[in-house]
Amino acid sequence: MTTQVIRRLLQTIPTLIGVSIVLVLIFHLIPGNFVDSNPTISKERAAELKEMYGLTDPVHIKYLKWVKGVSTGDLGYSIQHKQPVTTIIDRYVWNSVLIAGVVLIFSWTIAIFVGVFSAVRQHSFYDGLITFLVFAVMSLPSFFIGLLAIKFFAVDNRIFPVGGMITTGANYEGWAHIWDVIEHMFLPVIVLTALNVGGLTRYFRTSMLDVIKQDFIRTARAKGLKERTVIFKHALRNALIPAITLLGFEIPGLFAGAMITEKIFNWPGIGSIFLNAINARDYFLMLGYTFFIAFLTIIGNVIADLLYRVADPRVRMK
Amino acid sequence: MKKKLLILLSAVMAFSLILSACGGGDTAKPADPGTKVETPAEGENAGGTPAEGELVTEGTIKATDPSKSPANATARKDTVIVGMPAPSGVFHPQYAEIAYDAYVAETLFASILQVQKDGTYAPSLGNYKVSEDKKTLTFTLEDAKFSDGKPVTAEDVAFTFTLYYDKSYDGPTDAYAYAPIVGAKDYKEGKAQSISGIKVIDPKTLEVTLETPSVLSLDVFGTAGIIPKHVYGAAYKPGDLSKMKDTFTTPVGAGPYKLEKWVAGQEVVFKANEHYFKGAPKVPNLIYKVTTEETNMQLVQTGDTDGEVNISASLDNVEAIKALEFADLTLNPTNGYGYIGLNHKDERFKDKKVRQALVYGLQRQEIVDGVYQGLADVVNVPQSKVSWAYTDEVNKYDYDLEKAKALLDEAGWKEGADGIREKDGKKFKITFTASTPNAVNEVLIPIAKENYAKLGIEFVPDQMDFNALQDKVKKGDFEMVFLAVGLTPNPQTAQGTFRTGGNQNDYFFSNARVDELFKLANEEYDLDKRKAYYKEIYQIANEEVAHIYLYQRRDTLTANARVKGFDVSPYKRFTFDTPVIEIQ
């Protein structure tokens, strides 16, 4: 198993190198840069600043400098924030992780239950209703249901706060602070879960339908097991195996931030910071953060691979 | 396979993000085509109640019923919360670049001069005198203390000024171009231990000697937030400012407030500075709350904020704020203007008559009303109408199709068989470079297309992402382009755009008299004399059609009527009112 892990991790190195080359190339090619957007500086000063930030280097030098930094854990310097990129990611990403983590737990739990029930009662009225609801929610744009939710629950009826992460000016400490954050999380979590749960439900439903048609399920029923045991112990376990891969892909999603929802709910996450970085052409923040997400995607993939082998003995360990 | 797919996927994702996320140059909201366009009210409307159906487009619209203020806002007896987009945590007056970091810096740090409502500078933390040869500026300081109780001295001012000229300084100020201090070059190159042109005379007096007279130096020295040497000195080694960046979130200044805490992306909490030299602020706690455009109005409505600086000035928003009844709304002309830039290197645009015809033949009022529904004016000079240097003694270029046709005829562009004008066998076809998505272009393009077709000119839009457009303009690879530009209090900064070879003169506009006037104006400190120079510059820029000037839109400041004392202008931001506002 250990050799498996090591081999799999070593295999990611060429992928990472490939990704880094592509990213540096893309960001090198995009038009515009941070320095030129300042209208008050002279051409000489602009040239001086570009030199200082390493924006004038040819692409291969840029790449080598950057890779050298990355290998020591330095993702570069954010021109806009005047801080190292890692500081900026650390400053904002955890707020995104908090929301994304809670949404992940809720949407998976709900999707599993709903998916299983609609699979068991395939083609029933209940199944049809779920399918309809799931597609209805999925097809609504997030900014629309976000704003609608704010109007109903925060402005017309003041049940939840309009946005943000804490009550401004309240200075809560300890448990009061935690409760305050939870209260601010309600709306964004509900909206994001509603948007996520749709696709997942379909996924679990299909996967469950595949399993319950198999012979071992008939065998289990023939043994006289209770229906509940058949579904949850025998069928669900097998239906969840393909979901491991899906879970691996959720890892980068945890850190990616939800750009639109963060803006609407005023959530201080990394999504809006990244969006601003793109608009301002904050070169190293764009590059560093995209690479960070690419890295997590690859790692997520490796973890999924390994877990898959653990969960399903049929996958041969070479 | 999977790995390859992954690389491809991440590349595609990154790329699509870039493509989808680029904003336009102008953040105007798209106009609602269903709304009736009302005639803008004439003149000042400050404080007055407008006649029925009349649209107030400027000044302050007072709250009609302050008692409707939400209970949670009214309950905050010692705290004012102002909403604004997120500052990025660069709370240092020499480094703050985005407006919201600057707002925080202005609240924490005091400067020698302070900008007034008309864009002139008045004494604040001190004053200045100019020598006979206009090369030496003598700054004198008031009795003032930093928020830690230590006095503000000329040493601190010298320290602050020196930072700008350091080799490793990467803030947004181009100090040397604006204020070429004697000895700054040597200091930057490491040949000198200090800048010879900065002399501390006594603890309250400082002398700065420039290589050449430059009125722009006031923009550097006068508005620089003074930082205490005893706090920031440890973070500064000549040629190495990297440690200075660790001080951004622990600022100490002589401004009206001191920083209590900063929660990234959420709020900046201030406490009144009891040592503030103009007297401690009346509001003990001030908070800048981070808001987004999506919900900043709702936050005022629910009482989460007492004011908001960033609600876009659309007719819908103005109506919605009025409907709150408890909020004062100030509408000010935005500090900038929109224009169509012409490439003066283009053979056709070298002819002044052609340029003038393009203005006369364009229904600018229709375009501006179509986008802003009355909440913008057509402009004819590259200056804000609130500026002390503004003049309206210029040609108004009202829409005149016949005049435009006559001018083109005179210029030798004759109508061809297909109705398109031609000269020397060349058809008159203009490629219009425009950013998308952009609310102004959505209205401008169809109107211009139709207007210019009437003149016998084919108008072909070429739309692209804003950064791509900017790149094209920087390379001079365009014929005609729509852009908007910001203005500064000092009219002299316009030299970048209008002087031959100026840093922002991507249009190759060149006029010997304008160059001369800008040079004269930069060597003059007397406002009346400068005003005459700028007037002539604006008249030439208007007559010569350096650009086709389009519009000046509005900015808003919304304030719950329980907070009194905001008196802002496009130059004097609300931050300068923080020491005087009161809660009622």
Side-chain angles (χ1 to χ4, degrees):
Chain A
M1 187 65 196
T2 325
T3 47
Q4 284 296 317
V5 177
I6 292 168
R7 182 181 299 160
R8 198 64 189 78
L9 282 175
L10 284 176
Q11 279 169 354
T12 63
I13 293 173
T15 322
L16 279 172
I17 293 172
V19 168
S20 63
I21 290 175
V22 171
L23 287 179
V24 171
L25 254 178
I26 290 178
F27 287 126
H28 178 77
L29 289 174
I30 55 167
N33 67 70
F34 188 85
V35 176
D36 282 335
S37 62
N38 181 348
T40 62
I41 58 173
S42 62
K43 286 174 183 160
E44 295 75 39
R45 174 70 181 157
E48 201 176 283
L49 282 174
K50 282 183 204 167
E51 181 81 41
M52 220 187 272
Y53 295 136
L55 297 176
T56 45
D57 296 335
V59 67
H60 60 280
I61 301 290
K62 247 185 204 172
Y63 182 73
L64 290 176
K65 272 190 186 172
W66 185 70
V67 164
K68 198 175 154 218
V70 171
S71 59
T72 59
D74 173 14
L75 288 177
Y77 173 75
S78 160
I79 308 174
Q80 191 187 7
H81 297 264
K82 304 262 183 286
Q83 296 289 331
V85 169
T86 43
T87 310
I88 300 304
I89 293 179
D90 178 59
R91 198 179 267 174
Y92 296 96
V93 83
W94 305 110
N95 296 335
S96 292
V97 172
L98 177 64
I99 282 272
V102 173
V103 169
L104 183 76
I105 294 167
F106 276 114
S107 51
W108 275 65
T109 317
I110 296 172
I112 287 174
F113 279 100
V114 175
V116 167
F117 277 108
S118 46
V120 171
R121 295 177 173 77
Q122 199 191 4
H123 303 312
S124 67
F125 169 75
Y126 174 81
D127 185 29
L129 185 75
I130 292 286
T131 311
F132 173 77
L133 283 179
V134 156
F135 279 104
V137 175
M138 264 172 79
S139 50
L140 287 174
S142 58
F143 69 87
F144 178 74
I145 56 169
L147 286 176
L148 207 64
I150 290 174
K151 182 169 162 40
F152 284 140
F153 298 113
V155 180
D156 293 349
N157 306 292
R158 313 241 160 127
I159 304 169
F160 299 119
V162 174
M165 197 169 160
I166 47 173
T167 308
T168 305
N171 290 321
Y172 291 126
E173 298 283 341
W175 285 105
H177 170 72
I178 292 170
W179 175 245
D180 191 35
V181 173
I182 291 175
E183 221 174 24
H184 281 81
M185 279 170 68
F186 265 103
L187 278 187
V189 165
I190 291 171
V191 168
L192 278 172
T193 306
L195 290 170
N196 277 2
V197 97
L200 283 173
T201 306
R202 301 307 292 170
Y203 191 88
F204 288 124
R205 180 178 176 272
T206 318
S207 157
M208 193 68 186
L209 280 176
D210 280 348
V211 175
I212 49 176
K213 281 177 189 148
Q214 286 185 20
D215 291 346
F216 73 91
I217 296 294
R218 199 188 314 149
T219 315
R221 287 199 177 115
K223 276 199 297 190
L225 291 178
K226 275 188 277 181
E227 185 63 13
R228 179 182 296 242
T229 321
V230 175
I231 297 298
F232 284 100
K233 202 169 169 200
H234 295 258
L236 185 60
R237 270 199 180 180
N238 284 288
L240 281 183
I241 290 173
I244 292 173
T245 323
L246 205 62
L247 199 61
F249 281 118
E250 295 265 14
I251 291 176
L254 278 178
F255 292 84
M259 290 188 198
I260 297 170
T261 346
E262 275 177 15
K263 271 202 91 171
I264 289 173
F265 291 105
N266 203 357
W267 192 264
I270 192 82
S272 44
I273 296 297
F274 182 54
L275 194 63
N276 283 339
I278 293 173
N279 284 333
R281 296 290 193 261
D282 191 347
Y283 189 84
F284 292 105
L285 184 52
M286 286 152 75
L287 188 58
Y289 181 65
T290 317
F291 183 73
F292 174 63
I293 294 301
F295 175 75
L296 288 177
T297 309
I298 293 164
I299 294 298
N301 210 15
V302 172
I303 293 174
D305 250 23
L306 294 172
L307 283 179
Y308 203 87
R309 285 164 206 231
V310 174
D312 191 345
R314 284 171 301 179
V315 177
R316 269 183 48 214
M317 295 274 197
K318 281 189 276 188
Chain B
M1 251 344 264
K2 206 192 250 169
K3 275 180 290 180
K4 276 188 192 148
L5 190 71
L6 205 75
I7 302 175
L8 194 73
L9 263 178
S10 33
V12 168
M13 263 174 56
F15 203 67
S16 63
L17 278 177
I18 296 156
L19 290 179
S20 62
C22 302
D26 202 283
T27 50
K29 283 284 179 74
D32 178 359
T35 322
K36 196 171 127 256
V37 175
E38 291 171 87
T39 3
E42 287 295 318
E44 291 288 302
N45 267 295
T49 3
E52 194 69 34
E54 196 183 3
L55 175 68
V56 181
T57 67
E58 248 183 291
T60 302
I61 303 168
K62 288 270 176 208
T64 45
D65 187 0
S67 66
K68 289 223 167 115
S69 167
N72 53 337
T74 316
R76 282 195 295 268
K77 292 292 178 208
D78 59 355
T79 306
V80 167
I81 302 177
V82 180
M84 64 167 69
S88 50
V90 184
F91 304 147
H92 189 295
Q94 276 67 52
Y95 281 94
E97 182 152 7
I98 65 165
Y100 316 109
D101 283 330
Y103 289 178
V104 174
E106 282 162 9
T107 313
L108 295 169
F109 296 87
S111 53
I112 296 178
L113 304 177
Q114 190 171 305
V115 71
Q116 301 298 293
K117 284 180 86 176
D118 62 353
T120 53
Y121 291 125
S124 180
L125 192 59
N127 205 349
Y128 75 101
K129 261 202 204 98
V130 191
S131 67
E132 201 62 34
D133 65 355
K134 288 169 185 161
K135 282 187 183 170
T136 305
L137 296 165
T138 310
F139 293 97
T140 46
L141 294 173
E142 296 281 321
D143 284 321
K145 282 176 179 166
F146 289 108
S147 60
D148 61 1
K150 302 230 171 85
V152 180
T153 66
E155 283 292 343
D156 297 311
V157 180
F159 174 68
T160 305
F161 290 176
T162 304
L163 279 193
Y164 286 114
Y165 299 90
D166 191 83
K167 193 171 78 173
S168 62
Y169 170 71
D170 68 336
T173 306
D174 184 2
Y176 191 74
Y178 278 26
I181 298 189
V182 172
K185 273 224 165 108
D186 286 346
Y187 181 72
K188 198 167 193 170
E189 286 160 13
K191 289 184 201 152
Q193 287 303 302
S194 63
I195 301 175
S196 57
I198 302 178
K199 273 196 213 96
V200 175
I201 308 290
D202 63 54
K204 292 263 170 255
T205 321
L206 177 90
E207 208 178 76
V208 174
T209 315
L210 299 174
E211 289 170 0
T212 51
S214 168
V215 78
L216 283 167
S217 62
L218 289 183
D219 293 10
V220 178
F221 303 137
T223 61
I226 304 302
I227 57 173
K229 192 178 180 181
H230 63 268
V231 177
Y232 290 89
Y236 179 51
K237 253 194 345 220
D240 179 14
L241 277 162
S242 54
K243 282 226 171 63
M244 193 57 83
K245 283 152 193 170
D246 301 334
T247 66
F248 286 175
T249 52
T250 51
V252 178
Y257 284 87
K258 53 188 179 186
L259 188 73
E260 175 83 2
K261 70 170 174 185
W262 171 57
V263 190
Q266 296 174 65
E267 58 185 27
V268 189
V269 183
F270 302 95
K271 279 253 180 299
N273 171 13
E274 67 271 29
H275 299 294
Y276 185 53
F277 71 105
K278 288 179 186 168
K282 291 172 182 146
V283 177
N285 305 299
L286 178 69
I287 300 174
Y288 293 165
K289 180 181 168 64
V290 173
T291 60
T292 56
E293 213 172 346
E294 283 79 7
T295 54
N296 52 16
M297 175 124 47
Q298 282 88 331
L299 289 168
V300 177
Q301 193 180 348
T302 54
D304 286 297
T305 53
D306 293 310
E308 171 62 48
V309 297
N310 200 44
I311 297 176
S312 66
S314 70
L315 200 55
D316 286 348
N317 286 347
V318 169
E319 290 306 325
I321 295 168
K322 277 199 228 165
L324 295 178
E325 295 184 62
F326 62 81
D328 294 335
L329 169 67
T330 306
L331 285 166
N332 270 324
T334 196
N335 209 8
Y337 60 92
Y339 63 95
I340 297 174
L342 299 168
N343 190 336
H344 289 262
K345 266 199 179 156
D346 190 300
E347 275 310 315
R348 299 161 301 176
F349 300 148
K350 276 186 180 161
D351 191 335
K352 179 169 128 187
K353 289 191 173 117
V354 172
R355 299 199 300 267
Q356 288 180 334
L358 290 172
V359 196
Y360 278 120
L362 185 65
Q363 290 178 300
R364 291 183 298 158
Q365 187 73 52
E366 275 71 9
I367 296 169
V368 174
D369 283 345
V371 189
Y372 295 105
Q373 302 152 300
L375 290 162
D377 310 298
V378 170
V379 289
N380 290 300
V381 289
Q383 180 56 282
S384 169
K385 62 179 179 183
V386 259
S387 167
W388 59 273
Y390 179 75
T391 179
D392 66 349
E393 292 166 38
V394 290
N395 191 348
K396 299 287 186 294
Y397 290 103
D398 288 327
Y399 179 65
D400 190 339
L401 183 60
E402 292 316 311
K403 193 159 186 176
K405 280 183 178 168
L407 281 164
L408 285 174
D409 285 337
E410 279 173 45
W413 288 93
K414 301 279 182 251
E415 216 159 289
D418 54 355
I420 306 284
R421 284 177 193 268
E422 34 181 75
K423 186 179 177 180
D424 307 328
K426 274 193 198 143
K427 298 256 178 221
F428 205 142
K429 179 182 151 191
I430 301 173
T431 307
F432 179 68
T433 309
S435 62
T436 183
N438 181 293
V440 177
N441 280 325
E442 276 165 35
V443 181
L444 191 152
I445 289 169
I447 295 185
K449 216 173 167 142
E450 198 188 305
N451 282 176
Y452 288 151
K454 278 187 194 158
L455 279 180
I457 298 170
E458 197 185 343
F459 181 82
V460 187
D462 176 20
Q463 292 184 281
M464 63 194 71
D465 144 68
F466 180 69
N467 278 290
L469 174 138
Q470 230 180 3
D471 208 47
K472 259 187 130 134
V473 172
K474 279 269 165 240
K475 287 179 184 147
D477 175 24
F478 70 101
E479 293 174 18
M480 208 182 195
V481 61
F482 165 71
L483 280 168
V485 67
L487 290 166
T488 58
N490 192 340
Q492 188 64 28
T493 49
Q495 67 176 14
T497 311
F498 295 103
R499 223 167 60 172
T500 309
N503 65 319
Q504 289 294 297
N505 191 349
D506 302 319
Y507 312 94
F508 309 105
F509 176 74
S510 176
N511 182 296
R513 179 67 184 151
V514 168
D515 292 352
E516 188 189 346
L517 285 164
F518 270 123
K519 190 170 182 303
L520 289 170
N522 199 28
E523 291 170 358
E524 184 55 66
Y525 283 81
D526 182 83
L527 276 194
D528 288 327
K529 284 187 192 152
R530 288 176 65 202
K531 196 171 174 172
Y533 293 138
Y534 295 130
K535 183 175 170 182
E536 199 180 335
I537 289 171
Y538 299 145
Q539 283 171 336
I540 296 171
N542 169 280
E543 170 69 19
E544 290 288 325
V545 193
H547 298 322
I548 301 177
Y549 312 103
L550 277 180
Y551 66 88
Q552 186 176 27
R553 57 178 179 88
R554 298 286 180 270
D555 281 336
T556 64
L557 174 73
T558 310
N560 188 317
R562 77 187 194 92
V563 183
K564 296 281 176 215
F566 283 118
D567 183 25
V568 297
S569 93
Y571 303 111
K572 180 175 166 274
R573 305 196 264 218
F574 78 97
T575 50
F576 296 115
D577 290 327
T578 52
V580 296
I581 54 170
E582 283 177 88
I583 299 173
Q584 279 207 328

